[in-house]
Amino acid sequence: MAPFRTLLALVLGASAVSAFAPISTLSVRTAAPVVSETSLEVFDKAMADWEAEYPQFAKWGWGPSVQAEKWNGRHAMFGWVFICATAYAKGHGLIPDADTVLNLKEWGTLATISGKNTITNERAIILMANVHCFCVGLLATI
């Protein structure tokens, strides 16, 4: 069974690499990009409205802007990296006492989900890591 798995991994790996190989320019036809004027007008209007309502935030680049789209993409990429890192940590037992429920008397409302149910140590670690990365991203915009 092991040789079959190795062969299957090699075939799948080779096919994954070929997905990113450069394409011959002889067979590629390029079409002119289609840009809708309506969508640009709506976005420009949203940016102008935001700047008029929140000038303090607009001067830092917050709100609908090109910078916002960059940060949105960065946070989306971070989300995928964080999902993979969490799966790796969970699979290799790197989170200490993952199934232990937090003590409500020690942690207070930080440990509650709803009512008196509390979260596990694993969820608390993941939550704090996400909060940390959110704050780093937020401070990077200033």
Side-chain angles (χ1 to χ4, degrees):
M1 188 70 175
F4 177 71
R5 280 193 234 164
T6 304
L7 182 62
L8 183 64
L10 287 173
V11 169
L12 290 175
S15 65
V17 170
S18 66
F20 299 103
I23 300 172
S24 170
T25 57
L26 298 175
S27 64
V28 176
R29 292 183 183 187
T30 58
V34 178
V35 178
S36 171
E37 289 297 322
T38 306
S39 64
L40 290 176
E41 290 172 5
V42 170
F43 189 73
D44 289 338
K45 183 179 180 317
M47 286 177 56
D49 290 346
W50 174 264
E51 288 179 22
E53 288 184 39
Y54 305 103
Q56 313 90 321
F57 295 123
K59 74 177 182 180
W60 293 100
W62 291 5
S65 67
V66 176
Q67 291 174 334
E69 287 301 313
K70 288 179 186 175
W71 280 106
N72 186 24
R74 290 174 184 165
H75 283 280
M77 289 184 282
F78 169 76
W80 281 108
V81 169
F82 199 81
I83 287 170
C84 294
T86 301
Y88 180 84
K90 190 172 182 180
H92 289 83
L94 298 176
I95 299 175
D97 302 325
D99 295 329
T100 303
V101 178
L102 295 181
N103 186 353
L104 185 60
K105 290 182 181 178
E106 287 181 25
W107 290 92
T109 56
L110 290 174
T112 59
I113 296 174
S114 62
K116 293 197 176 203
N117 296 333
T118 57
I119 62 175
T120 62
N121 192 35
E122 174 185 26
R123 288 185 70 181
I125 291 170
I126 292 169
L127 175 67
M128 285 301 108
N130 276 303
V131 168
H132 172 76
C133 290
F134 173 73
C135 290
V136 168
L138 185 64
L139 292 174
T141 64
I142 297 176

